[in-house]
Amino acid sequence: MASASANGPNALLVSVVLLATVCACTAMSPYAAGLSEDFYYESCPQAASIVDAYVTKFLKKDRNFAGAFNRLQFHDCWVGGCDGSVLLNSTETNQAEREAHVNFGLRGVAEIDEIKAALEQSCPGVVSCADILILAARDATAKVGGPTWSVALGRRDGGNSTALMADTNLPFPVLNFSGLVANFAAKGFGAREMITLSGAHTIGRSHCNGILPHLYNFTGRDDANDTDPAMNKNFAVFLKKLCPQGNRTNTIFIDSTANNFDRAYYKNVLQGKGIFMTDSTLITNPVGKKVVTTFSKPRSSFFTEFAAGMVKMGNLGVLTGTEGEIRKTCQFVN
């Protein structure tokens, strides 16, 4: 039998099929170009296990660091992409992201640098601070009862970090529902994804700085009685004891089970016990209230959707290849 010719219509058909296959494979990948799960397989195969061991160590000392590591990923990726810029120190001529109002009380930076030092001992100049943040957030979430997810690596570290960038990009804790939707839409996330990632507030703690407007300045009057009327009355009294008017530095847990990743956050919001305005506002919209109600129930898809949201967030604005650098220490550019 004569073989089919590779020219003419057959060749065109083969080309179309191959192109469709390539496009389908590309579309199926949940990771940004340049990232892969086995990125350090040859250059630093122990990278993930080193990060995991240190996260375990930190959580044994203070289980609430899980919230800190989650917050670091969000506050890094939301400002110019996942490039480790949130870790950089200010200089004489530049106020870095950590000095932003919205980053008040940011924790975990020294711990990330400790992980980095261990990686530099094992694999000098290989693993980026940006990747450490992504791994630490995933590992910490899983270790306090939350979901786990596959992590693609290969990010490189950026050098551009300003307080203005952070205050311009990150959502302030006084935004209403439409403001939150707009903030997340600017990064390519929908309203449901915004409500899902708000579930990170199921772990962690906060300084009173971000809570005071909810208790004393809900309508702009700035007095002791200007409290969100939708807040549970007994809960408001409880919060005011922990966060007296004008006290910005006291710290409180932001969830009734703040050391465990669970669905209690959504139950609290439904009961009028959201810590921030951005928590309480989730149920001021009927679509938002429906999602919150769904996520508050056992066997809901919250864990699965949260994991997917963290993977998607980890793709934002990544530097790969020869872009950026691999810092020697996370708080300083090389």
Side-chain angles (χ1 to χ4, degrees):
M1 181 185 295
S3 61
S5 170
N7 299 317
N10 286 337
L12 178 60
L13 178 60
V14 170
S15 297
V16 169
V17 170
L18 286 174
L19 180 60
T21 302
V22 170
C23 290
C25 291
T26 302
M28 286 170 59
S29 173
Y31 307 131
L35 304 183
S36 66
E37 292 180 29
D38 61 354
F39 186 83
Y40 297 117
Y41 180 75
E42 293 184 356
S43 59
C44 191
Q46 66 272 45
S49 61
I50 290 174
V51 175
D52 183 79
Y54 272 84
V55 170
T56 299
K57 168 189 167 182
F58 297 137
L59 293 181
K60 281 183 178 178
K61 178 183 176 182
D62 180 359
R63 191 172 168 89
N64 210 244
F65 264 120
F69 291 139
N70 257 270
R71 188 185 183 200
L72 278 174
Q73 174 176 330
F74 177 57
H75 283 231
D76 184 43
C77 294
W78 225 245
V79 183
C82 309
D83 62 354
S85 57
V86 71
L87 302 169
L88 288 171
N89 283 346
S90 295
T91 66
E92 290 183 1
T93 58
N94 177 64
Q95 271 202 328
E97 291 172 35
R98 280 160 54 194
E99 305 300 324
H101 297 294
V102 77
N103 278 332
F104 184 84
L106 201 66
R107 297 190 304 145
V109 174
E111 286 71 22
I112 294 295
D113 243 347
E114 193 173 331
I115 298 173
K116 175 62 172 173
L119 286 165
E120 283 297 301
Q121 266 196 324
S122 293
C123 317
V126 174
V127 182
S128 68
C129 300
D131 275 347
I132 296 172
L133 285 177
I134 299 295
L135 284 165
R138 187 272 308 271
D139 294 347
T141 300
K143 289 178 189 297
V144 295
T148 189
W149 53 89
S150 298
V151 168
L153 304 167
R155 296 166 192 79
R156 289 171 66 83
D157 298 320
N160 189 19
S161 177
T162 69
L164 179 60
M165 287 170 59
D167 281 334
T168 303
N169 284 275
L170 286 163
F172 273 78
V174 296
L175 289 181
N176 60 19
F177 189 85
S178 60
L180 284 172
V181 169
N183 180 274
F184 274 69
K187 306 297 180 184
F189 289 73
R192 186 181 179 96
E193 291 172 312
M194 177 271 290
I195 297 166
T196 302
L197 290 172
S198 294
H201 288 174
T202 189
I203 48 176
R205 69 191 193 198
S206 171
H207 286 84
C208 291
N209 182 59
I211 301 164
L212 294 181
H214 205 189
L215 296 173
Y216 306 108
N217 198 25
F218 185 71
T219 65
R221 295 202 316 267
D222 195 20
D223 65 48
N225 298 313
D226 195 11
T227 306
D228 180 357
M231 183 181 284
N232 178 285
K233 298 293 188 293
N234 292 334
F235 187 62
V237 170
F238 168 73
L239 285 183
K240 286 180 178 181
K241 289 179 181 177
L242 298 175
C243 294
Q245 191 171 11
N247 185 316
R248 299 181 179 276
T249 56
N250 282 0
T251 59
I252 66 169
F253 290 129
I254 58 177
D255 179 87
S256 57
T257 57
N259 287 331
N260 296 302
F261 194 102
D262 53 27
R263 296 172 177 81
Y265 165 76
Y266 295 107
K267 295 177 184 177
N268 292 338
V269 170
L270 288 170
Q271 294 168 1
K273 297 178 180 179
I275 292 288
F276 303 110
M277 286 188 188
T278 48
D279 298 326
S280 297
T281 196
L282 297 182
I283 57 173
T284 61
N285 175 281
V287 174
K289 188 170 184 178
K290 183 177 180 180
V291 176
V292 170
T293 302
T294 298
F295 283 165
S296 71
K297 297 176 180 178
R299 296 180 295 281
S300 73
S301 58
F302 166 52
F303 276 33
T304 302
E305 293 187 48
F306 184 85
M310 293 295 280
V311 171
K312 181 175 177 179
M313 188 198 305
N315 291 329
L316 291 175
V318 296
L319 302 175
T320 60
T322 58
E323 299 174 306
E325 64 181 9
I326 304 297
R327 288 184 216 138
K328 296 176 181 177
T329 61
C330 291
Q331 297 184 54
F332 301 93
V333 295
N334 292 343

mmCIF file with all atom_site columns, all heavy atoms in Angstrom, residues 186-207:
data_model
loop_
_atom_site.group_PDB
_atom_site.id
_atom_site.type_symbol
_atom_site.label_atom_id
_atom_site.label_alt_id
_atom_site.label_comp_id
_atom_site.label_asym_id
_atom_site.label_entity_id
_atom_site.label_seq_id
_atom_site.pdbx_PDB_ins_code
_atom_site.Cartn_x
_atom_site.Cartn_y
_atom_site.Cartn_z
_atom_site.occupancy
_atom_site.B_iso_or_equiv
_atom_site.pdbx_formal_charge
_atom_site.auth_seq_id
_atom_site.auth_comp_id
_atom_site.auth_asym_id
_atom_site.auth_atom_id
_atom_site.pdbx_PDB_model_num
ATOM 1   N N   . ALA A 1 186 ? -9.105  43.541 39.212 1.00 0.00 ? 186 ALA A N   1
ATOM 2   C CA  . ALA A 1 186 ? -7.909  44.146 38.613 1.00 0.00 ? 186 ALA A CA  1
ATOM 3   C C   . ALA A 1 186 ? -6.765  43.146 38.504 1.00 0.00 ? 186 ALA A C   1
ATOM 4   O O   . ALA A 1 186 ? -5.844  43.333 37.701 1.00 0.00 ? 186 ALA A O   1
ATOM 5   C CB  . ALA A 1 186 ? -7.464  45.355 39.429 1.00 0.00 ? 186 ALA A CB  1
ATOM 6   N N   . LYS A 1 187 ? -6.816  42.079 39.293 1.00 0.00 ? 187 LYS A N   1
ATOM 7   C CA  . LYS A 1 187 ? -5.781  41.032 39.249 1.00 0.00 ? 187 LYS A CA  1
ATOM 8   C C   . LYS A 1 187 ? -6.277  39.779 38.518 1.00 0.00 ? 187 LYS A C   1
ATOM 9   O O   . LYS A 1 187 ? -5.580  38.762 38.473 1.00 0.00 ? 187 LYS A O   1
ATOM 10  C CB  . LYS A 1 187 ? -5.355  40.636 40.663 1.00 0.00 ? 187 LYS A CB  1
ATOM 11  C CG  . LYS A 1 187 ? -4.918  41.797 41.536 1.00 0.00 ? 187 LYS A CG  1
ATOM 12  C CD  . LYS A 1 187 ? -3.690  42.491 41.000 1.00 0.00 ? 187 LYS A CD  1
ATOM 13  C CE  . LYS A 1 187 ? -3.293  43.660 41.906 1.00 0.00 ? 187 LYS A CE  1
ATOM 14  N NZ  . LYS A 1 187 ? -2.139  44.425 41.364 1.00 0.00 ? 187 LYS A NZ  1
ATOM 15  N N   . GLY A 1 188 ? -7.486  39.849 37.958 1.00 0.00 ? 188 GLY A N   1
ATOM 16  C CA  . GLY A 1 188 ? -8.011  38.720 37.198 1.00 0.00 ? 188 GLY A CA  1
ATOM 17  C C   . GLY A 1 188 ? -8.793  37.718 38.021 1.00 0.00 ? 188 GLY A C   1
ATOM 18  O O   . GLY A 1 188 ? -8.998  36.578 37.584 1.00 0.00 ? 188 GLY A O   1
ATOM 19  N N   . PHE A 1 189 ? -9.269  38.121 39.194 1.00 0.00 ? 189 PHE A N   1
ATOM 20  C CA  . PHE A 1 189 ? -10.019 37.229 40.068 1.00 0.00 ? 189 PHE A CA  1
ATOM 21  C C   . PHE A 1 189 ? -11.475 37.666 40.155 1.00 0.00 ? 189 PHE A C   1
ATOM 22  O O   . PHE A 1 189 ? -11.779 38.858 40.224 1.00 0.00 ? 189 PHE A O   1
ATOM 23  C CB  . PHE A 1 189 ? -9.422  37.215 41.477 1.00 0.00 ? 189 PHE A CB  1
ATOM 24  C CG  . PHE A 1 189 ? -8.097  36.511 41.577 1.00 0.00 ? 189 PHE A CG  1
ATOM 25  C CD1 . PHE A 1 189 ? -6.942  37.098 41.060 1.00 0.00 ? 189 PHE A CD1 1
ATOM 26  C CD2 . PHE A 1 189 ? -7.993  35.266 42.170 1.00 0.00 ? 189 PHE A CD2 1
ATOM 27  C CE1 . PHE A 1 189 ? -5.710  36.456 41.140 1.00 0.00 ? 189 PHE A CE1 1
ATOM 28  C CE2 . PHE A 1 189 ? -6.771  34.611 42.260 1.00 0.00 ? 189 PHE A CE2 1
ATOM 29  C CZ  . PHE A 1 189 ? -5.623  35.202 41.735 1.00 0.00 ? 189 PHE A CZ  1
ATOM 30  N N   . GLY A 1 190 ? -12.388 36.691 40.168 1.00 0.00 ? 190 GLY A N   1
ATOM 31  C CA  . GLY A 1 190 ? -13.801 36.980 40.267 1.00 0.00 ? 190 GLY A CA  1
ATOM 32  C C   . GLY A 1 190 ? -14.259 37.151 41.707 1.00 0.00 ? 190 GLY A C   1
ATOM 33  O O   . GLY A 1 190 ? -13.498 36.942 42.651 1.00 0.00 ? 190 GLY A O   1
ATOM 34  N N   . ALA A 1 191 ? -15.545 37.502 41.868 1.00 0.00 ? 191 ALA A N   1
ATOM 35  C CA  . ALA A 1 191 ? -16.101 37.736 43.199 1.00 0.00 ? 191 ALA A CA  1
ATOM 36  C C   . ALA A 1 191 ? -16.044 36.474 44.055 1.00 0.00 ? 191 ALA A C   1
ATOM 37  O O   . ALA A 1 191 ? -15.721 36.541 45.246 1.00 0.00 ? 191 ALA A O   1
ATOM 38  C CB  . ALA A 1 191 ? -17.540 38.231 43.077 1.00 0.00 ? 191 ALA A CB  1
ATOM 39  N N   . ARG A 1 192 ? -16.341 35.323 43.471 1.00 0.00 ? 192 ARG A N   1
ATOM 40  C CA  . ARG A 1 192 ? -16.303 34.082 44.249 1.00 0.00 ? 192 ARG A CA  1
ATOM 41  C C   . ARG A 1 192 ? -14.876 33.783 44.705 1.00 0.00 ? 192 ARG A C   1
ATOM 42  O O   . ARG A 1 192 ? -14.666 33.337 45.839 1.00 0.00 ? 192 ARG A O   1
ATOM 43  C CB  . ARG A 1 192 ? -16.858 32.928 43.419 1.00 0.00 ? 192 ARG A CB  1
ATOM 44  C CG  . ARG A 1 192 ? -16.988 31.620 44.212 1.00 0.00 ? 192 ARG A CG  1
ATOM 45  C CD  . ARG A 1 192 ? -17.515 30.477 43.353 1.00 0.00 ? 192 ARG A CD  1
ATOM 46  N NE  . ARG A 1 192 ? -17.621 29.245 44.094 1.00 0.00 ? 192 ARG A NE  1
ATOM 47  C CZ  . ARG A 1 192 ? -18.744 28.784 44.675 1.00 0.00 ? 192 ARG A CZ  1
ATOM 48  N NH1 . ARG A 1 192 ? -19.859 29.487 44.581 1.00 0.00 ? 192 ARG A NH1 1
ATOM 49  N NH2 . ARG A 1 192 ? -18.738 27.639 45.349 1.00 0.00 ? 192 ARG A NH2 1
ATOM 50  N N   . GLU A 1 193 ? -13.900 34.036 43.846 1.00 0.00 ? 193 GLU A N   1
ATOM 51  C CA  . GLU A 1 193 ? -12.502 33.820 44.229 1.00 0.00 ? 193 GLU A CA  1
ATOM 52  C C   . GLU A 1 193 ? -12.086 34.780 45.335 1.00 0.00 ? 193 GLU A C   1
ATOM 53  O O   . GLU A 1 193 ? -11.321 34.416 46.233 1.00 0.00 ? 193 GLU A O   1
ATOM 54  C CB  . GLU A 1 193 ? -11.597 33.980 43.010 1.00 0.00 ? 193 GLU A CB  1
ATOM 55  C CG  . GLU A 1 193 ? -11.761 32.863 41.983 1.00 0.00 ? 193 GLU A CG  1
ATOM 56  C CD  . GLU A 1 193 ? -11.006 33.137 40.695 1.00 0.00 ? 193 GLU A CD  1
ATOM 57  O OE1 . GLU A 1 193 ? -11.124 34.265 40.161 1.00 0.00 ? 193 GLU A OE1 1
ATOM 58  O OE2 . GLU A 1 193 ? -10.296 32.229 40.218 1.00 0.00 ? 193 GLU A OE2 1
ATOM 59  N N   . MET A 1 194 ? -12.616 36.001 45.296 1.00 0.00 ? 194 MET A N   1
ATOM 60  C CA  . MET A 1 194 ? -12.327 36.975 46.355 1.00 0.00 ? 194 MET A CA  1
ATOM 61  C C   . MET A 1 194 ? -12.855 36.469 47.698 1.00 0.00 ? 194 MET A C   1
ATOM 62  O O   . MET A 1 194 ? -12.153 36.513 48.727 1.00 0.00 ? 194 MET A O   1
ATOM 63  C CB  . MET A 1 194 ? -12.961 38.327 46.010 1.00 0.00 ? 194 MET A CB  1
ATOM 64  C CG  . MET A 1 194 ? -12.802 39.400 47.064 1.00 0.00 ? 194 MET A CG  1
ATOM 65  S SD  . MET A 1 194 ? -14.146 39.415 48.299 1.00 0.00 ? 194 MET A SD  1
ATOM 66  C CE  . MET A 1 194 ? -15.514 40.008 47.303 1.00 0.00 ? 194 MET A CE  1
ATOM 67  N N   . ILE A 1 195 ? -14.084 35.955 47.699 1.00 0.00 ? 195 ILE A N   1
ATOM 68  C CA  . ILE A 1 195 ? -14.677 35.434 48.933 1.00 0.00 ? 195 ILE A CA  1
ATOM 69  C C   . ILE A 1 195 ? -13.912 34.198 49.408 1.00 0.00 ? 195 ILE A C   1
ATOM 70  O O   . ILE A 1 195 ? -13.701 34.000 50.606 1.00 0.00 ? 195 ILE A O   1
ATOM 71  C CB  . ILE A 1 195 ? -16.163 35.110 48.699 1.00 0.00 ? 195 ILE A CB  1
ATOM 72  C CG1 . ILE A 1 195 ? -16.927 36.390 48.343 1.00 0.00 ? 195 ILE A CG1 1
ATOM 73  C CG2 . ILE A 1 195 ? -16.779 34.445 49.936 1.00 0.00 ? 195 ILE A CG2 1
ATOM 74  C CD1 . ILE A 1 195 ? -18.308 36.151 47.780 1.00 0.00 ? 195 ILE A CD1 1
ATOM 75  N N   . THR A 1 196 ? -13.464 33.390 48.456 1.00 0.00 ? 196 THR A N   1
ATOM 76  C CA  . THR A 1 196 ? -12.686 32.193 48.787 1.00 0.00 ? 196 THR A CA  1
ATOM 77  C C   . THR A 1 196 ? -11.377 32.564 49.464 1.00 0.00 ? 196 THR A C   1
ATOM 78  O O   . THR A 1 196 ? -11.024 32.021 50.523 1.00 0.00 ? 196 THR A O   1
ATOM 79  C CB  . THR A 1 196 ? -12.390 31.379 47.517 1.00 0.00 ? 196 THR A CB  1
ATOM 80  O OG1 . THR A 1 196 ? -13.619 31.011 46.885 1.00 0.00 ? 196 THR A OG1 1
ATOM 81  C CG2 . THR A 1 196 ? -11.598 30.127 47.841 1.00 0.00 ? 196 THR A CG2 1
ATOM 82  N N   . LEU A 1 197 ? -10.635 33.480 48.865 1.00 0.00 ? 197 LEU A N   1
ATOM 83  C CA  . LEU A 1 197 ? -9.330  33.852 49.415 1.00 0.00 ? 197 LEU A CA  1
ATOM 84  C C   . LEU A 1 197 ? -9.470  34.670 50.698 1.00 0.00 ? 197 LEU A C   1
ATOM 85  O O   . LEU A 1 197 ? -8.544  34.686 51.521 1.00 0.00 ? 197 LEU A O   1
ATOM 86  C CB  . LEU A 1 197 ? -8.519  34.608 48.360 1.00 0.00 ? 197 LEU A CB  1
ATOM 87  C CG  . LEU A 1 197 ? -8.040  33.724 47.193 1.00 0.00 ? 197 LEU A CG  1
ATOM 88  C CD1 . LEU A 1 197 ? -7.419  34.571 46.085 1.00 0.00 ? 197 LEU A CD1 1
ATOM 89  C CD2 . LEU A 1 197 ? -7.044  32.671 47.674 1.00 0.00 ? 197 LEU A CD2 1
ATOM 90  N N   . SER A 1 198 ? -10.617 35.302 50.907 1.00 0.00 ? 198 SER A N   1
ATOM 91  C CA  . SER A 1 198 ? -10.872 35.966 52.189 1.00 0.00 ? 198 SER A CA  1
ATOM 92  C C   . SER A 1 198 ? -10.878 34.942 53.311 1.00 0.00 ? 198 SER A C   1
ATOM 93  O O   . SER A 1 198 ? -10.637 35.285 54.479 1.00 0.00 ? 198 SER A O   1
ATOM 94  C CB  . SER A 1 198 ? -12.217 36.704 52.156 1.00 0.00 ? 198 SER A CB  1
ATOM 95  O OG  . SER A 1 198 ? -12.187 37.780 51.241 1.00 0.00 ? 198 SER A OG  1
ATOM 96  N N   . GLY A 1 199 ? -11.138 33.690 52.970 1.00 0.00 ? 199 GLY A N   1
ATOM 97  C CA  . GLY A 1 199 ? -11.126 32.619 53.945 1.00 0.00 ? 199 GLY A CA  1
ATOM 98  C C   . GLY A 1 199 ? -9.775  32.396 54.594 1.00 0.00 ? 199 GLY A C   1
ATOM 99  O O   . GLY A 1 199 ? -9.678  31.670 55.593 1.00 0.00 ? 199 GLY A O   1
ATOM 100 N N   . ALA A 1 200 ? -8.725  33.018 54.073 1.00 0.00 ? 200 ALA A N   1
ATOM 101 C CA  . ALA A 1 200 ? -7.414  32.968 54.731 1.00 0.00 ? 200 ALA A CA  1
ATOM 102 C C   . ALA A 1 200 ? -7.494  33.571 56.127 1.00 0.00 ? 200 ALA A C   1
ATOM 103 O O   . ALA A 1 200 ? -6.644  33.299 56.981 1.00 0.00 ? 200 ALA A O   1
ATOM 104 C CB  . ALA A 1 200 ? -6.365  33.706 53.895 1.00 0.00 ? 200 ALA A CB  1
ATOM 105 N N   . HIS A 1 201 ? -8.530  34.387 56.367 1.00 0.00 ? 201 HIS A N   1
ATOM 106 C CA  . HIS A 1 201 ? -8.716  34.983 57.691 1.00 0.00 ? 201 HIS A CA  1
ATOM 107 C C   . HIS A 1 201 ? -9.174  33.956 58.723 1.00 0.00 ? 201 HIS A C   1
ATOM 108 O O   . HIS A 1 201 ? -9.425  34.313 59.873 1.00 0.00 ? 201 HIS A O   1
ATOM 109 C CB  . HIS A 1 201 ? -9.731  36.134 57.623 1.00 0.00 ? 201 HIS A CB  1
ATOM 110 C CG  . HIS A 1 201 ? -9.198  37.352 56.948 1.00 0.00 ? 201 HIS A CG  1
ATOM 111 N ND1 . HIS A 1 201 ? -9.963  38.459 56.667 1.00 0.00 ? 201 HIS A ND1 1
ATOM 112 C CD2 . HIS A 1 201 ? -7.951  37.639 56.483 1.00 0.00 ? 201 HIS A CD2 1
ATOM 113 C CE1 . HIS A 1 201 ? -9.216  39.376 56.062 1.00 0.00 ? 201 HIS A CE1 1
ATOM 114 N NE2 . HIS A 1 201 ? -7.995  38.899 55.931 1.00 0.00 ? 201 HIS A NE2 1
ATOM 115 N N   . THR A 1 202 ? -9.282  32.711 58.318 1.00 0.00 ? 202 THR A N   1
ATOM 116 C CA  . THR A 1 202 ? -9.576  31.660 59.283 1.00 0.00 ? 202 THR A CA  1
ATOM 117 C C   . THR A 1 202 ? -8.367  31.351 60.166 1.00 0.00 ? 202 THR A C   1
ATOM 118 O O   . THR A 1 202 ? -8.482  30.657 61.170 1.00 0.00 ? 202 THR A O   1
ATOM 119 C CB  . THR A 1 202 ? -10.043 30.370 58.575 1.00 0.00 ? 202 THR A CB  1
ATOM 120 O OG1 . THR A 1 202 ? -10.524 29.456 59.556 1.00 0.00 ? 202 THR A OG1 1
ATOM 121 C CG2 . THR A 1 202 ? -8.918  29.707 57.806 1.00 0.00 ? 202 THR A CG2 1
ATOM 122 N N   . ILE A 1 203 ? -7.200  31.845 59.783 1.00 0.00 ? 203 ILE A N   1
ATOM 123 C CA  . ILE A 1 203 ? -5.990  31.696 60.594 1.00 0.00 ? 203 ILE A CA  1
ATOM 124 C C   . ILE A 1 203 ? -5.313  33.048 60.732 1.00 0.00 ? 203 ILE A C   1
ATOM 125 O O   . ILE A 1 203 ? -5.442  33.902 59.873 1.00 0.00 ? 203 ILE A O   1
ATOM 126 C CB  . ILE A 1 203 ? -4.992  30.674 59.991 1.00 0.00 ? 203 ILE A CB  1
ATOM 127 C CG1 . ILE A 1 203 ? -4.769  30.952 58.486 1.00 0.00 ? 203 ILE A CG1 1
ATOM 128 C CG2 . ILE A 1 203 ? -5.455  29.250 60.217 1.00 0.00 ? 203 ILE A CG2 1
ATOM 129 C CD1 . ILE A 1 203 ? -3.734  30.054 57.838 1.00 0.00 ? 203 ILE A CD1 1
ATOM 130 N N   . GLY A 1 204 ? -4.591  33.220 61.836 1.00 0.00 ? 204 GLY A N   1
ATOM 131 C CA  . GLY A 1 204 ? -3.794  34.433 61.976 1.00 0.00 ? 204 GLY A CA  1
ATOM 132 C C   . GLY A 1 204 ? -4.296  35.384 63.046 1.00 0.00 ? 204 GLY A C   1
ATOM 133 O O   . GLY A 1 204 ? -5.251  35.111 63.770 1.00 0.00 ? 204 GLY A O   1
ATOM 134 N N   . ARG A 1 205 ? -3.625  36.497 63.115 1.00 0.00 ? 205 ARG A N   1
ATOM 135 C CA  . ARG A 1 205 ? -3.973  37.530 64.079 1.00 0.00 ? 205 ARG A CA  1
ATOM 136 C C   . ARG A 1 205 ? -3.756  38.887 63.444 1.00 0.00 ? 205 ARG A C   1
ATOM 137 O O   . ARG A 1 205 ? -3.178  38.999 62.367 1.00 0.00 ? 205 ARG A O   1
ATOM 138 C CB  . ARG A 1 205 ? -3.133  37.380 65.346 1.00 0.00 ? 205 ARG A CB  1
ATOM 139 C CG  . ARG A 1 205 ? -1.657  37.699 65.182 1.00 0.00 ? 205 ARG A CG  1
ATOM 140 C CD  . ARG A 1 205 ? -0.862  37.261 66.402 1.00 0.00 ? 205 ARG A CD  1
ATOM 141 N NE  . ARG A 1 205 ? 0.482   37.823 66.411 1.00 0.00 ? 205 ARG A NE  1
ATOM 142 C CZ  . ARG A 1 205 ? 1.476   37.345 67.140 1.00 0.00 ? 205 ARG A CZ  1
ATOM 143 N NH1 . ARG A 1 205 ? 1.279   36.281 67.895 1.00 0.00 ? 205 ARG A NH1 1
ATOM 144 N NH2 . ARG A 1 205 ? 2.674   37.909 67.113 1.00 0.00 ? 205 ARG A NH2 1
ATOM 145 N N   . SER A 1 206 ? -4.220  39.916 64.110 1.00 0.00 ? 206 SER A N   1
ATOM 146 C CA  . SER A 1 206 ? -4.109  41.271 63.566 1.00 0.00 ? 206 SER A CA  1
ATOM 147 C C   . SER A 1 206 ? -3.850  42.267 64.680 1.00 0.00 ? 206 SER A C   1
ATOM 148 O O   . SER A 1 206 ? -4.254  42.057 65.834 1.00 0.00 ? 206 SER A O   1
ATOM 149 C CB  . SER A 1 206 ? -5.402  41.656 62.842 1.00 0.00 ? 206 SER A CB  1
ATOM 150 O OG  . SER A 1 206 ? -5.395  43.033 62.478 1.00 0.00 ? 206 SER A OG  1
ATOM 151 N N   . HIS A 1 207 ? -3.174  43.342 64.332 1.00 0.00 ? 207 HIS A N   1
ATOM 152 C CA  . HIS A 1 207 ? -3.114  44.473 65.242 1.00 0.00 ? 207 HIS A CA  1
ATOM 153 C C   . HIS A 1 207 ? -4.455  45.195 65.188 1.00 0.00 ? 207 HIS A C   1
ATOM 154 O O   . HIS A 1 207 ? -5.192  45.107 64.193 1.00 0.00 ? 207 HIS A O   1
ATOM 155 C CB  . HIS A 1 207 ? -1.998  45.434 64.823 1.00 0.00 ? 207 HIS A CB  1
ATOM 156 C CG  . HIS A 1 207 ? -0.620  44.936 65.132 1.00 0.00 ? 207 HIS A CG  1
ATOM 157 N ND1 . HIS A 1 207 ? 0.057   44.074 64.302 1.00 0.00 ? 207 HIS A ND1 1
ATOM 158 C CD2 . HIS A 1 207 ? 0.202   45.174 66.188 1.00 0.00 ? 207 HIS A CD2 1
ATOM 159 C CE1 . HIS A 1 207 ? 1.243   43.793 64.838 1.00 0.00 ? 207 HIS A CE1 1
ATOM 160 N NE2 . HIS A 1 207 ? 1.353   44.446 65.979 1.00 0.00 ? 207 HIS A NE2 1
#
